[in-house]
Amino acid sequence: MLRDLGERIEKHLYAKGFRLPEIRSILRVQILFSMASALVGILTVWCTLWPICFAVGVILATYSFFSLARFIQQVILRTYSRQMLWGLLFRFYGRLMLTGLILFGLIIELRVPSSALVAGLATCMATMLVGILSHRAERKIKEA
Amino acid sequence: MRKFMMIALNTVAILSVAAMAFASEGAAAYGDLVYFGAAIGMAIAAAGCGIGQGLGLKAACEGTARNPEASNKITVSLILGLAFVESLAIYALVVNLMLLTK
């Protein structure tokens, strides 16, 4: 079931324009992780706020990485057009502003536990590190 | 000589800020210093991350121009590098927002 879900996510990502398999696999893992953490957060919201804040951090990190990867691929791998460039810039700065506003609302207005939020945001870096290391290990095995 | 000058200038800078901090009285002045520190912290983080991202992008563009066949590999490294740098800026924003709640 998990493999089916992963394949479906990967197909969806490919249709969205993610042509690089390494980035697709990292995003797939991150999306699966954010779905799982959101599920755990929703199920445990009645007893503690920590998991739901963690899930919000994971979703923010996933959204940020998703948008950045899409932006770079659209800039580098697609043909240039003036209209596309304006759209890309608008979406890039819109995403940055949205991330800042969400963090402001969560930390200043709602006073959520910051440790949970930071831990959630750090999952993206951990996923990328694991992705890079596994990719390097695969390459070494192939070379050997 | 240059090392001595750097140490002396840093000492003067630290002492001048410390004098401001000691001179301030009450919670209002402390709050002002926190706002100042948060703004300076975010500015330094944004500047550092901007320089880092710019250097990465420059190297990636040069690499792609020299060897277009390696474009995919360079793009993967570029995306991962930019994501790492950007996450540092997001952490800095979180820390500065946490400072504002104190």
Side-chain angles (χ1 to χ4, degrees):
Chain A
M1 187 190 162
L2 199 64
R3 190 174 288 177
D4 282 352
L5 190 62
E7 280 177 10
R8 208 180 299 170
I9 289 171
E10 202 149 336
K11 273 182 194 170
H12 188 69
L13 288 173
Y14 189 81
K16 281 268 181 192
F18 289 88
R19 298 283 183 258
L20 303 168
E22 292 92 351
I23 299 298
R24 252 194 341 257
S25 74
I26 291 173
L27 258 176
R28 185 194 64 206
V29 172
Q30 190 64 28
I31 288 171
L32 282 173
F33 191 64
S34 62
M35 285 163 83
S37 60
L39 192 67
V40 172
I42 290 167
L43 288 177
T44 56
V45 73
W46 56 276
C47 60
T48 172
L49 271 179
W50 212 94
I52 194 80
C53 295
F54 178 79
V56 169
V58 176
I59 290 167
L60 258 181
T62 308
Y63 169 66
S64 189
F65 183 62
F66 177 88
S67 307
L68 182 75
R70 200 173 166 194
F71 175 77
I72 298 292
Q73 289 192 69
Q74 282 175 339
V75 165
I76 291 180
L77 302 177
R78 281 196 182 175
T79 49
Y80 170 82
S81 76
R82 200 181 179 86
Q83 199 177 6
M84 187 192 86
L85 191 69
W86 280 112
L88 283 177
L89 276 177
F90 184 74
R91 263 180 277 157
F92 184 78
Y93 287 112
R95 172 191 58 101
L96 283 179
M97 276 182 66
L98 190 66
T99 307
L101 283 175
I102 289 171
L103 285 174
F104 178 82
L106 286 171
I107 295 172
I108 303 282
E109 302 294 331
L110 298 176
R111 307 256 171 164
V112 299
S114 305
S115 56
L117 205 60
V118 172
L121 288 169
T123 55
C124 195
M125 285 180 90
T127 313
M128 283 191 283
L129 272 177
V130 170
I132 291 167
L133 291 176
S134 65
H135 183 66
R136 195 172 286 179
E138 271 178 25
R139 207 167 54 190
K140 272 186 184 172
I141 289 169
K142 274 181 191 172
E143 282 172 3
Chain B
M1 185 64 190
R2 193 179 166 195
K3 199 173 175 183
F4 174 76
M5 282 297 290
M6 287 296 288
I7 291 169
L9 283 174
N10 279 331
T11 310
V12 169
I14 289 167
L15 285 177
S16 62
V17 174
M20 269 169 59
F22 282 123
S24 64
E25 285 180 5
Y30 170 74
D32 288 346
L33 280 179
V34 167
Y35 289 134
F36 181 72
I40 291 288
M42 195 60 228
I44 292 171
C49 291
I51 290 169
Q53 286 196 334
L55 287 175
L57 198 61
K58 175 179 169 276
C61 287
E62 282 176 0
T64 309
R66 278 188 194 149
N67 188 6
E69 287 176 1
S71 165
N72 283 352
K73 281 183 181 176
I74 292 171
T75 307
V76 171
S77 307
L78 175 69
I79 289 171
L80 294 177
L82 290 187
F84 274 118
V85 175
E86 198 183 279
S87 62
L88 290 180
I90 291 174
Y91 291 147
L93 177 66
V94 170
V95 169
N96 288 312
L97 288 175
M98 280 162 68
L99 270 179
L100 292 182
T101 59
K102 298 289 178 194

